Amino acid sequence: MVKVIQFIHGLNVGGAETLVKDYALNLNRNLIDLTVLCYEHYDSPYEKILKDAGIKVIYICDEMFLYGRKEIWARAINKILFYLKVKNYIHKLNPDVIHTHLILNAYLKFARPKKKTVIFYTQHFQVKRWIRYFGKDIKALRWLMKHYKVYVIALNNSMKQEIDKVLDTDKTIVMNSGIDVARFSRKVPEDIVKRKIEIPKDAFIVGHVGRFSTVKNHEFLIDIFGEIVKKRENAFLLMVGNGETMETIRKKVRILGLDKRVIILSDRTDVPELMGIMDILIFPSFSEGMPVTLVEAQIVGIRCLVADSVSKEIVFSNLVKYKSLKESKECWADEALSWKNDNVKYYGVDKWDITKIVKKLEGMYLEVVEESNRESIM
């Protein structure tokens, strides 16, 4: 039995978090003794999903009596405690593999796992942002690569090339995020879903699925929808997600008088059904790593109007159209309303099947641990 820790900041609903949840649900528990280690505790439906599946989830912050306090001294103490408790748990769990996600390499460097521990790191967002804002994380990863066996995973080929350059290596592995293809292929009658969330039967539904953060460019999305409403009286905007900019977006919706046309749903487990009622998904992000939402949307069969800053490697159908963020909100709205696609075509869907991706990852875990054990005996 190989002991694996999936180490992530928390389980709020997002791309990296969804991937960790899917890894946990699909890894063979006869071969893998899995623990999901989080340092923050969010109110998330993923917690119940993993708990119901019998998967161990540890929230470090639950043991910190000062967690959530805003005073400078309390935040300073919490920062130190996070490092100490991560170290404590890693040594207590004594894993064979630690798979980190997002900006956690400095914690792992401080923790100093046992020497033969194998480390995996998945880069989830644009490498340019990683370089610009998270130099400490890169520096910590370079240190880990000098002292441990480390496997770095990129979500697409262009990301691999950028990571190789940053880390001065040529060994970055490309592995798609993947989704539960069967689940997103199932159809639920649209009228049932629309009735459930109180949207009229004949509504034209613009959709967006993703966390509320500045990089997702929700401000522009609302502007585009404002133009759509002028031309389609039955238009609704359905936004699914949570995050730090949600209240800012709600305020903008109120100011523009779109309250009755915009529906925001948070932390949902019925995303495939909600996507199934969308007529078009608009995705004007400033930057993305490999957005799982666009994989899901294509499987469901939704037209996706996407910012040209998003990787082209996400495309495996004729359901995705790219548009420059330099173009006006009116141009985006016109495109959303005029674009028709009555002949959907797919190519290479299999490479996005999460069950196949996890099987590959599982094989890597087992192989590298066996190799590490052999080397420690020699």
Side-chain angles (χ1 to χ4, degrees):
M1 185 79 77
V2 171
K3 296 174 74 174
V4 177
I5 291 176
Q6 294 286 336
F7 184 27
I8 191 165
H9 66 288
L11 290 173
N12 57 313
V13 179
E17 299 86 348
T18 300
L19 187 61
V20 169
K21 180 259 296 178
D22 288 341
Y23 281 174
L25 294 174
N26 286 281
L27 285 166
N28 185 340
R29 274 173 275 165
N30 292 320
L31 301 173
I32 306 292
D33 178 7
L34 178 68
T35 301
V36 178
L37 181 63
C38 307
Y39 71 79
E40 293 186 319
H41 196 164
Y42 298 94
D43 182 15
S44 165
Y46 288 173
E47 180 177 0
K48 185 178 187 305
I49 291 170
L50 295 180
K51 184 178 179 182
D52 290 348
I55 294 162
K56 292 176 287 185
V57 182
I58 295 170
Y59 299 97
I60 290 173
C61 65
D62 287 354
E63 301 176 6
M64 296 167 56
F65 68 95
L66 291 174
Y67 181 72
R69 295 281 291 268
K70 303 297 183 184
E71 300 92 337
I72 293 174
W73 62 269
R75 284 185 291 177
I77 291 172
N78 282 333
K79 187 173 183 178
I80 294 168
L81 282 176
F82 272 133
Y83 277 93
L84 292 172
K85 287 188 174 293
V86 167
K87 181 174 184 176
N88 179 59
Y89 265 111
I90 284 176
H91 286 272
K92 181 180 176 181
L93 293 168
N94 192 28
D96 300 297
V97 172
I98 301 173
H99 192 152
T100 65
H101 305 264
L102 302 173
I103 313 304
L104 297 174
N105 289 310
Y107 288 97
L108 206 53
K109 176 186 174 183
F110 178 82
R112 301 291 203 277
K114 66 182 181 184
K115 191 62 184 173
K116 69 174 186 175
T117 304
V118 182
I119 296 168
F120 284 72
Y121 167 72
T122 299
Q123 174 63 26
H124 287 274
F125 57 92
Q126 226 179 33
V127 176
K128 289 178 183 177
R129 284 185 62 224
W130 193 35
I131 295 168
R132 184 172 181 180
Y133 298 110
F134 304 107
K136 182 180 177 182
D137 188 69
I138 295 172
K139 188 176 179 180
L141 181 56
R142 287 195 185 114
W143 184 92
L144 290 168
M145 292 172 72
K146 289 179 181 177
H147 295 85
Y148 293 89
K149 186 168 286 188
V150 176
Y151 293 83
V152 180
I153 297 174
L155 301 180
N156 58 56
N157 287 307
S158 57
M159 183 184 281
K160 169 192 163 49
Q161 292 170 10
E162 292 176 292
I163 292 173
D164 280 348
K165 187 175 180 180
V166 171
L167 299 177
D168 192 24
T169 182
D170 61 358
K171 295 181 179 178
T172 302
I173 300 159
V174 177
M175 190 174 290
N176 292 332
S177 295
I179 67 163
D180 184 341
V181 172
R183 181 168 173 247
F184 279 85
S185 299
R186 286 194 291 268
K187 302 295 181 185
V188 175
E190 289 188 21
D191 58 331
I192 294 176
V193 183
K194 287 179 178 178
R195 196 181 315 128
K196 183 178 173 183
I197 58 175
E198 299 180 344
I199 288 182
K201 205 174 192 179
D202 64 343
F204 175 80
I205 301 177
V206 177
H208 186 278
V209 179
R211 76 184 188 280
F212 280 79
S213 70
T214 304
V215 74
K216 297 292 185 179
N217 202 10
H218 285 101
E219 297 257 3
F220 188 48
L221 173 63
I222 300 301
D223 289 335
I224 296 166
F225 181 67
E227 294 302 312
I228 289 173
V229 169
K230 292 176 184 177
K231 300 177 181 182
R232 290 289 290 266
E233 292 182 358
N234 66 334
F236 281 77
L237 174 60
L238 174 58
M239 304 171 75
V240 184
N242 206 340
E244 65 273 13
T245 62
M246 181 187 287
E247 288 311 312
T248 301
I249 297 305
R250 285 189 188 278
K251 183 178 179 181
K252 176 162 185 167
V253 168
R254 288 193 296 270
I255 290 171
L256 294 179
L258 297 171
D259 309 55
K260 296 181 180 179
R261 296 289 178 183
V262 177
I263 297 171
I264 298 176
L265 302 176
S266 300
D267 298 332
R268 304 289 294 212
T269 58
D270 57 348
V271 171
E273 291 79 13
L274 295 172
M275 280 189 166
I277 66 170
M278 295 175 184
D279 292 284
I280 189 165
L281 185 139
I282 298 182
F283 212 76
S285 297
F286 290 119
S287 70
E288 290 282 350
M290 185 61 84
V292 176
T293 294
L294 292 180
V295 178
E296 296 168 344
Q298 288 176 84
I299 295 295
V300 172
I302 313 168
R303 288 170 294 131
C304 304
L305 190 59
V306 181
D308 59 6
S309 54
V310 177
S311 171
K312 307 298 186 291
E313 293 184 52
I314 203 74
V315 180
F316 55 93
S317 73
N318 61 347
L319 286 165
V320 181
K321 183 175 285 191
Y322 287 90
K323 201 162 185 65
S324 172
L325 289 175
K326 294 178 182 178
E327 294 192 54
S328 68
K329 59 186 179 182
E330 292 85 0
C331 287
W332 277 71
D334 288 343
E335 190 74 68
L337 291 170
S338 63
W339 178 26
K340 307 293 181 187
N341 187 347
D342 299 321
N343 185 22
V344 179
K345 297 177 181 178
Y346 290 99
Y347 40 90
V349 175
D350 282 356
K351 70 179 183 179
W352 298 100
D353 190 331
I354 191 65
T355 58
K356 295 178 180 178
I357 291 166
V358 172
K359 194 69 179 173
K360 177 182 176 182
L361 181 66
E362 182 182 286
M364 290 173 63
Y365 287 163
L366 298 173
E367 184 181 343
V368 298
V369 168
E370 184 180 344
E371 184 181 319
S372 180
N373 288 336
R374 280 200 309 267
E375 290 174 356
S376 65
I377 295 171
M378 294 171 63

